[in-house]
Structures are given as structure tokens and as C-alpha cells.
Amino acid sequence: MRSKSNTIRTNRAVTTLAALLAGALALTACGGSDNDKKDKGGKSSGATETGSTVTLPKLNGVSLEVAAVWTGQEQKNFKQVLAEFEKRTGAKVTFVPAQDPIINFLGSKIAGGQPPDVALLPQPGAIKQAVDKKWAKPLGAEAQAELAKNYSQGWQDIGKVDGKPYGVYYKAANKSLIWYNAKAFANAGAKEPKTWQELLTAARAVYDSGVTPFSVGGADGWTLTDWFENVYLSQAGPEKYDQLAQHKIKWTDPSVKQALTTLAQIWGKKDYVAGGADGALQTEFPASVTQTFTGGDQPKAAMVYEGDFAQVNIGETKAKVGTDAKVFPFPSVGSTAPVVSGGDAAVILKDSKGAQALATFLASPDAATIQAKLGGYLSPNKNVPASAYPNAVQQTIAKALIASGDDFRFDMSDQAPQAFGGTPGKGEWKDLQDFLKNPKDVAGAQAKLEKDAAAAYGGGS
């Protein structure tokens, strides 16, 4: 089977968004704060703490289950959104913690006759699999109306399979950011880089100052796929990115060799990665962030690559976003800086008035505004006011995402069949972990990636 890419294809706009984000973050670094309460379309969204923009049915006596892989603070924050839905409708909603890969988790629930009513799926490939298996139910008229009102066409399209809407993208991620320890950079005299070469220069300055440049959460294979995607999109360009995402070109392509060789300029220097490759492969994503912002003048690393959601983990340290913990856009490797997005979509598995109402609520600015205020969250809903986000960094990241409209590239591994792009210890996750361990073997990594991709996509192109 092959997962379908629905991303909009314009090189110009990718450049524009990267420039916009760079400018916005530069303003933030100067201490600028934005309290603008209007959305980008110039209309008042009406999404206030107490206001309501969406009509929901009374659902007294209705019980619903919602499954997602979210844990910790993220799960806690989402439960506040579900509590508001309960308050407005009278329904009772239970959060069901799922495991990765969520498709396997749902398969066992469905086989046992107990599917959750709604599941949050972190990959378009997973939505397609849920539709192919006849698990997913199409969105009703009310949910579709909310989507049309609140989302750009690009975000609506990623939730469709064969032209029919199944997914509400409740949560988005800007995955083209590098967070850094401001004190470590200042001590090293390092500057925020705009190009890959400048990133290597900054890394050298940090290393010379006695601090390891990068923290890598290699125990979670998805962080490594995100590294690859940013390098590949910038270096190979959007068209090749789309072709590789759909397996229309092979992983043995020279463009993949070039991207892996570029990555090895960092991954291959064991003194540049906290704990070396072995240490990185035992470091889960949350720890990769927290160890960058603890330890005073001697943090375990000065920089950590990942999306806007890293703020949730920075919040577990004493570092303050915008002063102690700063951020810059992923540098350009080729002619333009990359802009990679990800997200989680609500999909209905048991069709009912209650499930449709919950999907409608999650498509509204009301739901997203609640979680936006709690931090560490980004919504693709254009009617969530920028002022809902708790700090200037988050506000600028959110505004840049909305300003991009349809013009972004969705996370490549998330577009792939889950067996290749979304399973711990298998496929792309495992192959890139092996490459982190041995970055000299570019050809071997390419051969393994192609073999696993061909099997998952059903024979390749």
C-alpha cells in the first residue's frame, strides 16, 4: 500500500515561511511581545476563555472514549479540553492511553470489540490505514463546516482519504526549530546560524568552550527521522521530498546519500553529540531537552533539535523560554531553509452523535484555545487568537504556521505506512538509529532504508 501525500507544492512559499519565522523569532529574541487578539483573517474569532463559537448537542447519559499516545503534561492538558466538552454537552469522556504504533493498539481494541469512539492519529499514513481497514468513519456535516471555517485547504486535505474527510487536525507541530542554551552560546561567543555551515561553526565554538554542542534523543527513532527530513527538504528541494515521501524515488537515490553524508558531519563526530552515539541511543526525547537546560554553566549540551512542543519539556526545568532557552529556525542546507510540519488528527472509529460532536468541538477554536493557553501546543486552526499562547516565542511560532496557509511540507515519515515510518525498533526509525551508531556506512543505511520502504509500500513505486 502507498500513503498519499496531500501537501501543497510551492517552493516559493516554503522560502517565505522560513523567512517569516526567522524574522518573527528574531523579534522575539529582542524581547518583543505580541498581544494581538485578532486572527490573521482580520475577523474576531470569538474564542475567549468563556466564549463559545460552536453549537453542540446535549449528550446527557452519553459515554465516549478517546485514545491518544499522549502522556504526562500533554495528556493532562488535553483532559482539560475534554472536561470543557463534558461541561457543555453533559457527556462523559474517558481518555484511553495508547501505545505506539497506535494502529496496532487500535487493532487489538477493535479485535476485542472495544474500539474507542475517537482516536488521535499522529500520521496521515495511519489515517489511510484506518480507512483501508474500514475502521474510520467519515466526518459529518457539522465537523466539515467547522473545518471549512477554521482551517486552510492544505490542513483540510491532509485529513482526507480519496477526497473524503476523515481527520480533524487538532494539533500541529513546527518541526524546523533548534533550541539552545543562551548562556552556553554567550560563553562560547556563538551566534545564531542561518546556514548549515554556520551551524557547524557555532558547534565548533561551543565545543571549544568545553560544552558538547548537541543533545540527540536517539532512543526515540522519530527524532532522527525529523533531523533527516529537515536536511533533505532543504538540500534536495520540495519536489524530491514529495517523491521520496510517496516512494516514487528510491532511498538509494543520490539525494538521500547527500543528506545522510551531511547529517554525518554532526552525527559522525562523537564529541559533538552528548554521550556519543551510544549515549544518544539511550536518551529519550524528554531527557534530550531537559539535559540541554540544566547544569548551569556545564549543561550536557548547548543545542537540541526538535519542534515547538519541546517547550513542554523546557518547562520541567528552571530555564525560561525566550531568555535562558532560545530558538532559531533549522538552518538552510541548500538554497532555502526547511519548514516541516507534523500533527495529530482526531478520527472517528464509532460513528454516533456524541463522536461527531466531539470531532466538531475539536475542529473549533474553542477547544484549541483552551490547550493553547496551557503551553507546549500549536494549533493549525487559524481562528485561535495569537494572544491565547502563553509567551512571545509560542505566539510567533503559531503566527508563522498560520501565515504559511497551505504552503508547508508534512513530516515525511508520518506520510509513510506505519510499518516504515512510525514503528519503534523497525523501518526508518531503526535504520536511522543504526546510522547514528555508524554514520560512515551511508550506502549500507540507504540499502536498509530502501529494503524496508519497499516492503512497507508494497513493492516500491
Side-chain angles (χ1 to χ4, degrees), residues 104-148:
N104 294 7
F105 173 84
L106 295 175
S108 61
K109 285 278 184 189
I110 287 162
Q114 293 182 306
D117 299 87
V118 174
L120 274 297
L121 301 183
Q123 293 101 0
I127 299 175
K128 187 175 188 318
Q129 281 178 277
V131 172
D132 288 347
K133 290 171 184 287
K134 300 194 169 22
W135 297 349
K137 313 299 181 210
L139 296 170
E142 292 84 359
Q144 288 187 49
E146 281 299 307
L147 283 177

Side-chain angles (χ1 to χ4, degrees), residues 425-447:
K426 288 187 177 173
E428 190 183 355
W429 291 21
K430 174 71 164 65
D431 297 339
L432 289 178
Q433 286 173 325
D434 290 346
F435 180 64
L436 175 62
K437 202 181 288 185
N438 183 17
K440 289 192 177 79
D441 189 13
V442 173
Q446 283 185 272

Side-chain angles (χ1 to χ4, degrees), residues 31-363:
S33 174
D34 190 341
N35 293 312
D36 179 16
K37 290 184 169 51
K38 283 178 286 190
D39 75 281
K40 280 300 193 186
K43 294 176 243 167
S44 168
S45 72
T48 63
E49 276 181 275
T50 52
S52 174
T53 69
V54 61
T55 305
L56 298 170
K58 284 292 164 205
L59 298 168
N60 295 326
V62 171
S63 291
L64 297 170
E65 285 190 343
V66 183
V69 294
W70 298 333
T71 58
Q73 194 61 44
E74 196 169 33
Q75 182 188 121
K76 199 171 155 190
N77 291 354
F78 182 58
K79 283 179 175 175
Q80 291 198 38
V81 178
L82 298 179
E84 178 65 16
F85 178 78
E86 289 181 322
K87 194 168 107 183
R88 292 194 192 184
T89 62
K92 183 176 181 345
V93 187
T94 304
F95 181 89
V96 178
Q99 288 85 41
D100 264 326
I102 194 167
I103 282 290
N104 294 7
F105 173 84
L106 295 175
S108 61
K109 285 278 184 189
I110 287 162
Q114 293 182 306
D117 299 87
V118 174
L120 274 297
L121 301 183
Q123 293 101 0
I127 299 175
K128 187 175 188 318
Q129 281 178 277
V131 172
D132 288 347
K133 290 171 184 287
K134 300 194 169 22
W135 297 349
K137 313 299 181 210
L139 296 170
E142 292 84 359
Q144 288 187 49
E146 281 299 307
L147 283 177
K149 192 165 65 172
N150 300 317
Y151 289 78
S152 73
Q153 194 61 49
W155 282 103
Q156 292 180 55
D157 287 348
I158 297 168
K160 290 178 181 175
V161 177
D162 298 329
K164 196 175 275 193
Y166 286 91
V168 169
Y169 270 89
Y170 171 70
K171 183 176 186 286
N174 181 321
K175 290 190 165 191
S176 296
L177 302 170
I178 294 180
W179 298 87
Y180 70 96
N181 184 312
K183 190 180 276 186
F185 256 52
N187 290 345
K191 294 187 174 69
E192 288 190 3
K194 289 188 170 62
T195 66
W196 184 260
Q197 201 51 53
E198 288 175 5
L199 179 66
L200 296 178
T201 302
R204 180 76 211 188
V206 166
Y207 174 75
D208 287 344
S209 77
V211 175
T212 304
F214 296 96
S215 176
V216 178
D220 293 314
W222 57 268
T223 63
L224 306 183
T225 70
D226 290 352
W227 266 99
F228 171 82
E229 287 155 10
N230 277 276
V231 169
Y232 190 84
L233 175 58
S234 183
Q235 199 169 55
E239 283 181 30
K240 282 261 190 188
Y241 184 94
D242 292 335
Q243 289 168 358
L244 189 61
Q246 297 173 68
H247 203 220
K248 286 184 173 172
I249 57 173
K250 295 187 174 184
W251 284 81
T252 47
D253 191 84
S255 61
V256 176
K257 178 184 179 180
Q258 189 183 13
L260 291 174
T261 304
T262 300
L263 269 178
Q265 292 176 336
I266 290 173
W267 292 6
K269 283 183 181 273
K270 72 172 181 148
D271 293 340
Y272 270 27
V273 176
D278 288 343
L281 288 166
Q282 290 169 40
T283 305
E284 293 181 342
F285 168 67
S288 75
V289 180
T290 55
Q291 71 182 15
T292 307
F293 299 102
T294 48
D297 282 343
Q298 285 296 310
K300 288 204 174 157
M303 289 177 270
V304 61
Y305 156 70
E306 250 318 332
D308 58 282
F309 46 83
Q311 287 184 92
V312 170
N313 309 99
I314 295 170
E316 292 165 9
T317 72
K318 289 178 182 168
K320 194 163 183 281
V321 170
T323 52
D324 310 311
K326 292 189 177 180
V327 65
F328 56 84
F330 199 98
S332 59
V333 189
S335 57
T336 60
V339 179
V340 177
S341 186
D344 297 84
V347 174
I348 294 169
L349 301 180
K350 274 167 71 177
D351 202 1
S352 67
K353 188 178 176 182
Q356 290 286 354
L358 181 56
T360 302
F361 180 61
L362 294 177

Side-chain angles (χ1 to χ4, degrees), residues 2-9 124-125 128 154 157-158 160 238-239 241-248 408-412 414-416 457:
R2 190 164 78 224
S3 179
K4 185 180 173 191
S5 166
N6 288 307
T7 46
I8 310 298
R9 295 160 173 76
K128 187 175 188 318
D157 287 348
I158 297 168
K160 290 178 181 175
E239 283 181 30
Y241 184 94
D242 292 335
Q243 289 168 358
L244 189 61
Q246 297 173 68
H247 203 220
K248 286 184 173 172
F408 55 89
R409 283 299 180 281
F410 204 90
D411 183 299
M412 188 191 293
D414 287 354
Q415 295 181 52
Y457 285 81

